[in-house]
Amino acid sequence: AEQPWDVGCEAGAMRRILAQRPYCANDARLGPVAILKVHLAASPTFSFGVYGSFDISPEGCVPARRVFSGGVRLRLMPAWPTDRVRTYFFVGAGFAGIHQDAHVERFPIAPTPGLQDVSVDAQSGTFFEIPFGLGVTYAFAPHWRISTELGGRGNFGFSSGFYGNCEPSASPSASPCAPPRTGTAKNFPDLELGPLGSDAFAVALTVGVAYFR
């Protein structure tokens, strides 16, 4: 029978896919990811739990973005193909925060000819995510299993100026609406810059170890 609880940690690589990118913007590249997860068994095959993850998402010539996320997940782990080697499926729901440090980019600024150095301010944003995927575990010692997961994350509900979809409100009590991205350049103290895209989807492959009790 399934153990009453388990805790595991995994590390690997994640690729975030940016949608609605400007023509000249780079897509995100492969970056490292680390995941911590804890489950409680509701039955021999079904468990529910929580997860937390951190990943670094490189993006062209700008500083890599740092993403923290966490939420809940459900796992179905039948005793198949054997009790020692078991496959499982998972799905969940979570919330993520993203941050990019201040940096310098080059932009065309009319009526100045050519490209100008623009000091882009640090930006942060948030969104919801739906993680899902499949995994395999191998029992190499009593209570211990090696685990690997191939998972995806569908993202939605992007907020704050980082993603450029913060809409002004007519209510005087509403929070002020931040522009998509802000920066400064010589003779241009207040610039509003377009977003670099939305994190529509992510895919990751991770390997780790889990303790079942």
Side-chain angles (χ1 to χ4, degrees):
E2 178 64 278
Q3 304 295 330
W5 61 267
D6 63 87
V7 58
C9 57
E10 296 180 356
M14 174 179 284
R15 167 74 187 278
R16 292 190 173 273
I17 300 172
L18 299 179
Q20 301 175 338
R21 289 182 293 126
Y23 175 75
C24 59
N26 295 307
D27 201 353
R29 301 198 301 264
L30 205 64
V33 60
I35 303 172
L36 177 66
K37 50 192 179 178
V38 180
H39 297 96
L40 293 175
S43 72
T45 60
F46 179 75
S47 301
F48 62 92
V50 296
Y51 74 93
S53 76
F54 169 72
D55 69 274
I56 297 175
S57 178
E59 186 181 357
C61 298
V62 298
R65 305 171 308 152
R66 301 188 298 274
V67 185
F68 300 85
S69 65
V72 297
R73 55 185 261 161
L74 305 177
R75 184 186 66 192
L76 178 65
M77 182 187 282
W80 184 87
T82 67
D83 191 55
R84 190 168 190 179
V85 179
R86 304 182 68 173
T87 58
Y88 63 90
F89 306 91
F90 68 91
V91 65
F95 185 74
I98 186 170
H99 179 82
Q100 187 175 54
D101 291 335
H103 58 281
V104 175
E105 292 184 47
R106 294 180 63 81
F107 287 93
I109 305 176
T112 306
L115 299 176
Q116 307 297 318
D117 288 337
V118 176
S119 297
V120 181
D121 299 328
Q123 296 286 326
S124 299
T126 59
F127 55 88
F128 295 94
E129 64 180 15
I130 302 295
F132 60 92
L134 56 89
V136 179
T137 68
Y138 172 76
F140 66 93
H143 302 299
W144 290 95
R145 288 179 175 266
I146 295 174
S147 62
T148 181
E149 280 187 1
L150 176 63
R153 301 187 189 189
N155 306 318
F156 64 98
F158 303 101
S159 65
S160 83
F162 189 91
Y163 290 106
N165 58 356
C166 179
E167 298 295 337
S169 173
S171 172
S173 61
S175 300
C177 182
R181 294 192 302 156
T182 57
T184 59
K186 185 177 180 180
N187 301 323
F188 297 93
D190 297 303
L191 293 173
E192 294 186 5
L193 311 173
L196 295 178
S198 297
D199 290 271
F201 187 74
V203 61
L205 179 63
T206 57
V207 178
V209 64
Y211 178 78
F212 283 75
R213 185 66 184 176

